[in-house]
Amino acid sequence: MSRAERDEAAVRRLLDAPPPPVPPRLRVEAAERGGRLLRRNRAVRRALWLLLCAAVTAVAVWAAVADEPAGPPADTTPPLTGW
């Protein structure tokens, strides 16, 4: 019997056997931890959205308040005098 066949037979035995019992407290702790993770992820997501909105607002205010350029850029450079 090859190693692959032995491994396959071992996996089949594991899958055919009934699942081991789960301690009752483990299920409660897992649910509590999952709830904490969901709340934390939700808070982080809201904070990032708030930061994004604040950044967009700041850029919009800056763009509205910033001075416009004095005029179109010059087509040529000014002559160098006084050298």
Side-chain angles (χ1 to χ4, degrees), residues 12-28:
R12 289 190 185 278
R13 279 193 307 274
L14 284 174
L15 292 176
D16 289 341
V22 177
R25 183 71 188 141
L26 181 63
R27 184 178 298 141
V28 173

Side-chain angles (χ1 to χ4, degrees), residues 7-66:
D7 290 345
E8 183 178 346
V11 169
R12 289 190 185 278
R13 279 193 307 274
L14 284 174
L15 292 176
D16 289 341
V22 177
R25 183 71 188 141
L26 181 63
R27 184 178 298 141
V28 173
E29 289 174 4
E32 289 172 355
R33 182 172 184 205
R36 283 193 306 268
L37 287 173
L38 287 174
R39 284 189 299 276
R40 188 189 72 193
N41 288 345
R42 190 180 307 130
V44 167
R45 197 175 312 118
R46 285 181 181 170
L48 288 175
W49 273 110
L50 181 64
L51 182 65
L52 177 67
C53 291
V56 167
T57 303
V59 169
V61 169
W62 171 76
V65 173

Side-chain angles (χ1 to χ4, degrees), residues 76-83:
T76 60
T77 58
L80 291 175
T81 57
W83 274 59

